[in-house]
C-alpha cells in the first residue's frame, strides 16, 4: 500500500524536547488517522543523546524511520528527510511542535484544489501566535516585507516551519536548493532562509502555492540570536537575488 502522508521532523540536540514527549504526541495523533502514514526523523548530526533516543523510538514503533545525517544545518537535514520519504504528500514540521501536528488538518483540504505546495502561515487573518515576544513578531514582519519585495510576492509568512509538498514538488524543488543545499557544512544550529529559496523555486517553476492560517506557539530557545540571525537572513535574501541575476536558477526566473 502506498503511503499517503510522510511527516518529516528534523532534529539537532533535542534532549529537552524529547523529555517533553513530542514524539509520543506525534505517534498518538498519526495513529488515529484513517490514511497511511510514516514518520521520518531526520537528525542533523546531534552531539548529545538525541540520535540514540530517536533510534530506540523507531525500534518500538512501526512506520517510523531515522535518517542519520552529518551536521550540515536544517536545510540539508530537511532535504534528506523529504527525499527519503515515500509519501504522496510530505510535511516537514519543527521538532518542538510549535505548530502541533494536528494543524495538518487545515492544510490537507487544499490538496483537492490542485495546490502542490501548502504552507502554514502565522500572519494571515485567522492565524494564532501564542507567547511570542513583541520584538520577534516585529522582526518577522519586517523580514517578510523584504521577502515579498525581492523574492516571493504575495506570501505573508515564508518562515513558518510547517509546510506540505506533493511528492512531485518535493523531488523537483529540494534538489535545486543552492544557498543551503546538501553540500553546505555548518558548525551551528542556524536555520537560514532556506524556506524562502524553496518557495522562490516553486514560484519561478509555476508550482501552485497555498498559504493557510495556523496556530503557532513560541518556545524559548538559546539557539536564536535575534539580531545576528536576522542580519544573516537578510544576507540570504541578497544571495538569492544575486543567484537570480547570475543565472544560478537557470532560465525559469520571472523576476
Amino acid at each position: 500500500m502506498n503511503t499517503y502522508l510522510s511527516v518529516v521532523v528534523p532534529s539537532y540536540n533535542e534532549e529537552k524536547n524529547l523529555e517533553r514527549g513530542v514524539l509520543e504526541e506525534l505517534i498518538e495523533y498519526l495513529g488515529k488517522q484513517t490514511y497511511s502514514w510514516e514518520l521520518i526523523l531526520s537528525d542533523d548530526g546531534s552531539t548529545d543523546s538525541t540520535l540514540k533516543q530517536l533510534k530506540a523510538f523507531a525500534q518500538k514503533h512501526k512506520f517510523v524511520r531515522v535518517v542519520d545525517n552529518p551536521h550540515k544545518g536544517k536545510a540539508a537535514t530537511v532535504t534528506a528527510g523529504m527525499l527519503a520519504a515515500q509519501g504522496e504528500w510530505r510535511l516537514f514540521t519543527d521538532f518542538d511542535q510549535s505548530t502541533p501536528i494536528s494543524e495538518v488538518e487545515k492544510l490537507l483540504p487544499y490538496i483537492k484544489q490542485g495546490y502542490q505546495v501548502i504552507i502554514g502561515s502565522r500572519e494571515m487573518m485567522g492565524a494564532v501566535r501564542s507567547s511570542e515576544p513583541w520584538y520577534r513578531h516585529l522582526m518577522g514582519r519586517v523580514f517578510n516585507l523584504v521577502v515579498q519585495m525581492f523574492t516571493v510576492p504575495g506570501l505573508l509568512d515564508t518562515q513558518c516551519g510547517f509546510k506540505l509538498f506533493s511528492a512531485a514538488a518535493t523531488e523537483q524543488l529540494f534538489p535545486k536548493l543552492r544557498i543551503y543545499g546538501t553540500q553546505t557544512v555548518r558548525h551551528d544550529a542556524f536555520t537560514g532562509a532556506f524556506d524562502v529559496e524553496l518557495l522562490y523555486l516553486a514560484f519561478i517553476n509555476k508550482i501552485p502555492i497555498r498559504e493557510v492560517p495556523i496556530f503557532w506557539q513560541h518556545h524559548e530557545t538559546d539557539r536564536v540570536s535575534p539580531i545576528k540571525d536576522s542580519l544573516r537572513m537578510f544576507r540570504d535574501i541578497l544571495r538569492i537575488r544575486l543567484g537570480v541575476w547570475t543565472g544560478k536558477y537557470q532560465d525559469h526566473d520571472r523576476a
Side-chain angles (χ1 to χ4, degrees), residues 2 4 31 48 54 82 93 103 125 131 147:
N2 293 333
Y4 180 68
D48 60 5
L54 295 182
M82 293 289 279
T93 177
E103 292 293 280
M125 184 175 294
S131 307
V147 168

Side-chain angles (χ1 to χ4, degrees), residues 96 136 226:
D96 65 7
R136 289 289 304 279

Side-chain angles (χ1 to χ4, degrees), residues 128-181:
V128 177
R129 304 175 75 122
S130 176
S131 307
E132 183 181 32
W134 66 269
Y135 62 88
R136 289 289 304 279
H137 190 188
L138 177 61
M139 293 169 67
R141 292 293 294 273
V142 172
F143 181 76
N144 288 330
L145 286 173
V146 173
V147 168
Q148 290 193 63
M149 289 175 60
F150 292 102
T151 51
V152 279
L155 295 182
L156 299 179
D157 185 6
T158 57
Q159 295 307 106
C160 181
F162 199 76
K163 293 181 171 66
L164 180 67
F165 294 77
S166 67
T170 297
E171 291 161 9
Q172 181 178 357
L173 299 176
F174 279 84
K176 293 182 179 179
L177 286 170
R178 296 291 180 265
I179 306 301
Y180 287 101

Side-chain angles (χ1 to χ4, degrees), residues 18-190:
L18 285 164
E19 290 175 2
R20 288 175 45 224
V22 294
L23 295 184
E24 286 76 11
E25 293 174 6
L26 284 164
I27 286 293
E28 181 179 3
Y29 174 81
L30 291 170
K32 295 177 181 178
Q33 306 313 306
T34 57
Y35 52 74
S36 56
W37 57 270
E38 64 175 352
L39 178 60
I40 307 295
L41 305 174
S42 187
D43 187 65
D44 185 21
S46 291
T47 58
D48 60 5
S49 67
T50 295
L51 182 60
K52 181 179 179 181
Q53 292 190 58
L54 295 182
K55 290 181 176 179
F57 185 83
Q59 288 181 344
K60 295 178 182 178
H61 297 278
K62 195 176 180 181
F63 308 124
V64 179
R65 290 189 285 141
V66 176
V67 180
D68 183 359
N69 307 287
H71 183 45
K72 292 186 178 181
K74 185 177 180 180
T77 305
V78 170
T79 297
M82 293 289 279
L83 294 178
Q86 299 176 351
E88 297 175 34
W89 290 89
R90 304 173 191 184
L91 174 82
F92 72 79
T93 177
D94 291 334
F95 202 99
D96 65 7
Q97 287 296 280
S98 295
T99 298
I101 184 62
S102 58
E103 292 293 280
V104 73
E105 295 172 13
K106 297 178 180 177
L107 275 56
L108 293 175
Y110 293 96
I111 291 174
K112 294 182 179 180
Q113 296 184 22
Y115 292 99
Q116 297 293 303
V117 178
I118 308 166
I119 65 174
S121 174
R122 300 162 295 180
E123 296 292 346
M124 295 183 70
M125 184 175 294
V128 177
R129 304 175 75 122
S130 176
S131 307
E132 183 181 32
W134 66 269
Y135 62 88
R136 289 289 304 279
H137 190 188
L138 177 61
M139 293 169 67
R141 292 293 294 273
V142 172
F143 181 76
N144 288 330
L145 286 173
V146 173
V147 168
Q148 290 193 63
M149 289 175 60
F150 292 102
T151 51
V152 279
L155 295 182
L156 299 179
D157 185 6
T158 57
Q159 295 307 106
C160 181
F162 199 76
K163 293 181 171 66
L164 180 67
F165 294 77
S166 67
T170 297
E171 291 161 9
Q172 181 178 357
L173 299 176
F174 279 84
K176 293 182 179 179
L177 286 170
R178 296 291 180 265
I179 306 301
Y180 287 101
T182 56
Q183 301 305 315
T184 304
V185 177
R186 296 210 61 83
H187 302 288
D188 57 17
F190 175 60

